[in-house]
Amino acid sequence: MTAALTAVLRDVAQQQSVTRTSAPSAEWVLVDGVLRPVGADYFRIIGAVDADGDERLLIEQAESALVGLVVAPGPHGWRVLLNARAEPGLHGGAQFSTTVQSTPSNYEQRHGGAPTPYLDAVLGHRDDTEVLCDTQQYDWGQYYRGKVKRYTVVALPAEEPAPAPLVWVDEAALRALLRADRLTTLDLRCAAVALLTLAHPVEQGEESPMDDHATAPLTPRPLAELERWHVDDHGIHDRRDERSVGWFRTVTGTREVGQWTQPLMILRDDLVVRLPMRDRDGRPEVAVALATADGLEGRRLWSPAPSTGGRPVSLLRASAEGGRFFEHGVTLSLVENATVADDAQWLTLDRAIALCRADRATSVELRLGVGLGVLHHDTTGAR
């Protein structure tokens, strides 16, 4: 089954071409020191400084992105409707994602693109759907300024024919895809945590309070006034060569819009996410701590506890969002026997799952780590 699904990805990737280019003045403009698209303002590149005067280059996206997974009952658990999604910045060009992965600018067709399949089901406009999960979550705080995504899982009464590149898979195939390197997007991994644990009772407890008030606000600074970065027709260049932005032209036959040019963030170093795990009286536990990041502006989220040493017991490679980053790798691992920070708290895996279901309580890193823990400790068995 996995071989057949990877063939689907290859076919989708072959229908996409991505080329490095220069700034398209007709599609993107530098206005008031901010790089933004003409027309629909679905995201922008901004400069900012923190309270210490240190400069930051971040992505700002006022729109709350929609991540929707459609499922239906099957003979052996859920049937899941995946999208073989081409993105200019993904490793391999295409990976399986959720049924819908879109901003309002896209699904409201402000670019003049085609309608988004199953949008009515995900947004609750169909009477025959059941909402299984619906949460609001912060995105990567080190790259975005306060970006929030809506994750929703909805069930249809029965499987329906779906247009390519959408494809139905069973839970076993979904798990196999999630255990493989760079076959699934991070959005699908986060949504899968909710889906694969729906029938499993989780421990309840006090969640971190939802805090929408920045305690360390950033001050915008025009891109042209940044000392660390300089802007020209080929992008935004980091004098430290750590975080830059380049222009990419995409032509594809599988997306709502057939061609476009956009900036993608280029990061020198891949991101490493380590979640400490241990077995305590036959039950898995993970180590967490409250942490913040530049773009969260002081808001603290439950995250993997800082750790050193230890032995990886599960490790895989993933790609950051291909519509915002160019081939940015993310390495996920569960580690045993690690030395954790003094402020770490050990939670049962079930308790961590409950945190991931709460609105704006956890970081992307923790949700990805918990998802890896769910796969490592099969949710169909006792924990």
Side-chain angles (χ1 to χ4, degrees):
M1 181 63 175
T2 303
L5 291 174
T6 54
V8 171
L9 290 180
R10 286 196 300 270
D11 178 65
V12 170
Q14 288 170 359
Q15 298 181 57
Q16 174 178 266
S17 66
V18 181
T19 54
R20 190 79 180 260
T21 185
S22 56
S25 58
E27 298 179 51
W28 286 76
V29 291
L30 190 63
V31 177
D32 297 329
V34 172
L35 184 63
R36 54 161 294 172
V38 175
D41 189 14
Y42 47 97
F43 80 93
R44 52 177 64 184
I45 307 295
I46 67 166
V49 294
D50 63 18
D52 296 324
D54 293 328
E55 295 179 339
R56 300 287 183 258
L57 185 70
L58 296 167
I59 302 170
E60 188 173 66
Q61 183 170 319
E63 295 183 329
S64 181
L66 177 64
V67 179
L69 188 62
V70 173
V71 303
H76 305 290
W78 292 109
R79 297 280 291 170
V80 186
L81 186 56
L82 302 183
N83 187 352
R85 186 175 178 87
E87 292 275 17
L90 288 176
H91 294 87
Q95 295 178 13
F96 284 108
S97 191
T98 51
T99 317
V100 173
Q101 178 190 324
S102 184
T103 62
S105 293
N106 280 327
Y107 65 70
E108 292 176 1
Q109 299 173 264
R110 299 177 199 168
H111 310 304
T116 301
Y118 286 91
L119 179 66
D120 56 346
V122 171
L123 290 179
H125 296 160
R126 285 179 52 167
D127 294 335
D128 60 347
T129 59
E130 178 187 0
V131 177
L132 304 179
C133 174
D134 193 356
T135 64
Q136 299 277 345
Q137 304 290 354
Y138 279 112
D139 212 339
W140 298 103
Q142 60 269 64
Y143 306 130
Y144 292 99
R145 186 183 185 189
K147 179 187 173 185
V148 173
K149 283 183 174 179
R150 178 186 177 188
Y151 288 87
T152 180
V153 181
V154 299
L156 302 178
E159 182 178 326
E160 302 175 355
L166 295 171
V167 57
W168 287 98
V169 304
D170 59 22
E171 281 193 39
L174 175 62
R175 289 175 184 274
L177 290 170
L178 293 170
R179 289 189 176 103
D181 288 340
R182 292 176 177 166
L183 292 185
T184 58
T185 66
L186 298 184
D187 278 335
L188 178 57
R189 290 185 173 279
C190 288
V193 177
L195 176 66
L196 297 178
T197 61
L198 283 174
H200 195 89
V202 296
E203 298 176 2
Q204 299 300 315
E206 183 180 357
E207 280 105 16
S208 174
M210 189 171 65
D211 181 8
D212 288 330
H213 301 285
T215 59
L218 297 168
T219 302
R221 175 168 291 180
L223 292 172
E225 296 181 12
L226 297 176
E227 296 181 0
R228 176 175 162 181
W229 286 272
H230 70 278
V231 184
D232 61 22
D233 287 342
H234 299 286
I236 305 173
H237 309 281
D238 186 357
R239 291 181 171 85
R240 300 181 189 172
D241 194 30
E242 295 174 358
R243 179 179 301 203
S244 299
V245 171
W247 291 102
F248 295 84
R249 183 69 176 171
T250 301
V251 179
T252 179
T254 64
R255 295 285 300 276
E256 295 91 343
V257 177
Q259 54 184 322
W260 68 90
T261 300
Q262 69 170 96
L264 292 175
M265 186 170 283
I266 304 168
L267 296 146
R268 183 187 65 189
D269 300 322
D270 286 353
L271 183 66
V272 177
V273 177
R274 289 165 41 101
L275 180 61
M277 176 171 275
R278 71 184 183 186
D279 184 270
R280 189 181 183 92
D281 299 326
R283 304 182 72 188
E285 293 185 336
V286 296
V288 303
L290 286 170
T292 189
D294 294 329
L296 294 174
E297 300 183 272
R299 303 174 182 91
R300 298 199 305 165
L301 305 176
W302 289 110
S303 304
S307 64
T308 57
R311 178 180 68 89
V313 294
S314 183
L315 185 147
L316 62 81
R317 299 179 301 162
S319 297
E321 187 176 352
R324 300 292 181 266
F325 306 93
F326 182 71
E327 294 186 353
H328 181 36
V330 180
T331 300
L332 309 173
S333 64
L334 303 174
V335 290
E336 288 184 342
N337 302 319
T339 301
V340 300
D342 291 339
D343 62 347
Q345 296 186 39
W346 286 97
L347 305 178
T348 65
L349 185 57
D350 289 337
R351 178 73 189 96
I353 291 169
L355 282 177
C356 291
R357 292 181 181 176
D359 283 337
R360 296 199 282 275
T362 56
S363 67
V364 182
E365 293 93 328
L366 183 59
R367 296 195 297 277
L368 293 172
V370 169
L372 193 58
V374 168
L375 293 172
H376 186 67
H377 294 270
D378 190 0
T379 56
T380 61
R383 287 207 295 266

